[in-house]
Amino acid sequence: MGNRTTAGAHPGHNLRKYRGVLVGITALLLAGCSGNSTDAVQAPGPAASAPALTADPRPTPEPDESSGPVGGPAFEPENAQSADGAPAVLRSDAAANPVLVEPSSFDGEAVYEDGVVAATSNIRRGTVDEEGIGVVAGAEYIVFTVSVRNGSSDTLDLTAVVPTLTYGEDRVSAAPLYRGVEAFDLTGKLEPGAVTEAEYAFQLPAGATDPVLYIDLNGSHAPLVFSGDLP
């Protein structure tokens, strides 16, 4: 009998079969690479940048726009007034119903409901002869002696007294003066029956009209108000 060779065992047939498979796989790979070329390899991009800073629409407060020094009284913005016309003073210990006092003339006495009595005296004028911060050489000034007698039964707190002198139709606040003149404040605690004095000086033009002196003693007493003619 002669030898027979089967189709599966023919070497040429197997080689052509393998070549066809390789060609098909190669075509598939090339098609996949070309279709996903942008996704398969991505160049590293720049790092995410921080959000851009934008300008704050709120205006920056001016240096003098403060609610006042911490721990003591302070004026509201210039020429602000309380309900009774006195300069507004902020106090952390302000009483809802302070002890009241009637306004007085410069030559009279102001008597509080609790017996505390205050008065002005020895009012005199002068001219500034020094120079410095807040001082204008040649400016005219006025000095008040202010006395306080504690006729109440409680100790009177005078540790944060605020004096203010206003004048004119626009109620301008006169600048306080502590240089080139003898001036000192009310201070400390005043025991019942005791008396104390202070010298308050302000730069005040000779022709100033309608002067009013306010003395805010503390948070439990309404401000003293003195007005009238000056020497």
Side-chain angles (χ1 to χ4, degrees), residues 36-177:
N36 299 317
S37 58
T38 57
D39 296 332
V41 180
Q42 292 184 349
S49 58
L53 297 178
T54 56
D56 190 340
R58 297 169 296 181
T60 301
E62 295 297 331
D64 58 353
E65 293 182 352
S66 170
S67 61
V70 176
F75 289 111
E76 284 285 354
E78 186 177 0
N79 295 334
Q81 296 180 341
S82 58
D84 58 2
V89 177
L90 296 177
R91 293 183 182 273
S92 60
D93 61 346
N97 298 298
V99 181
L100 301 178
V101 62
E102 291 294 328
S104 175
S105 62
F106 286 119
D107 58 359
E109 285 187 336
V111 182
Y112 281 95
E113 294 176 341
D114 62 356
V116 173
V117 180
T120 61
S121 62
N122 193 24
I123 301 173
R124 64 263 188 207
R125 291 182 178 271
T127 302
V128 177
D129 57 6
E130 289 195 10
E131 295 182 354
I133 299 176
V135 178
V136 180
E140 297 173 313
Y141 66 82
I142 192 166
V143 182
F144 301 86
T145 298
V146 177
S147 62
V148 178
R149 177 171 58 85
N150 186 3
S152 73
S153 58
D154 300 317
T155 299
L156 183 64
D157 185 3
L158 299 176
T159 58
V161 176
V162 179
T164 307
L165 179 66
T166 65
Y167 64 92
E169 183 178 351
D170 295 331
R171 307 319 305 161
V172 177
S173 294
L177 183 64

